[in-house]
Amino acid sequence: MVLRLVLGTVYTAMAVGQLASFPRMPGILSAYGLVDGATAAVLAAGLIVGELVCGLWFLARPRSTAIAPVWVYTAVSVVWSSLAVQAYVRELTVDNCGCFGVYLTQRLGWLVLAQEALTLLYAGVLLRGARRARAAAASPDQGHDNDDVKAETR
């Protein structure tokens, strides 16, 4: 639950920062060398919507076992991580990673890559937790299997 609250806060703040600097987001995303113009604007809008959806859901319902916000979080994390890794490998200069729009800017480097790796690690933790919660909810009378078997064999 704590992880969801922290990630909800971070991703909501990211979305708010990007939304407040939306006119500059296509240019920020263009620095990654994969998209520009209208495509960058669509990508920016998609990232903002995704961050808002998972961020607000995690904040409003941190105990939810719903898988949808976890997949949205995972998708957004994969997109940001992919942008960062490919730009770093290609040795592109990205002065502002864009995570918070024009606020709290960071130059693309090892620190940003480490942060992206953490978001992917957290995605794995969330996916695993959501699967376990769903499996636990789906199995009736947990822990009573052996008692039933013992009773039937007597």
Side-chain angles (χ1 to χ4, degrees), residues 18-30 44 96 101-103 105:
Q18 292 169 26
L19 194 57
S21 50
F22 189 76
R24 305 241 336 251
M25 284 304 295
I28 291 169
L29 293 175
S30 293
N96 177 7
V102 296
Y103 308 97
T105 61

Side-chain angles (χ1 to χ4, degrees), residues 51-139:
E51 291 160 358
L52 276 175
V53 165
C54 70
L56 293 175
W57 197 322
F58 287 166
L59 289 173
R61 302 192 61 214
R63 293 186 188 272
S64 171
T65 59
I67 194 80
V70 174
W71 279 115
V72 172
Y73 169 82
T74 301
V76 170
S77 297
V78 166
V79 169
W80 277 116
S81 297
S82 298
L83 286 170
V85 168
Q86 67 80 33
Y88 189 82
V89 167
R90 293 171 50 202
E91 298 180 358
L92 298 178
T93 300
V94 179
D95 291 326
N96 177 7
C97 70
C99 296
F100 294 92
V102 296
Y103 308 97
L104 300 173
T105 61
Q106 292 183 74
R107 184 179 200 93
L108 180 61
W110 280 105
L111 180 60
V112 171
L113 293 177
Q115 292 167 347
E116 296 302 338
L118 281 175
T119 65
L120 293 176
L121 175 67
Y122 297 153
V125 168
L126 289 171
L127 285 169
R128 185 174 182 202
R131 286 186 187 144
R132 282 187 174 181
R134 292 176 65 104
S139 66

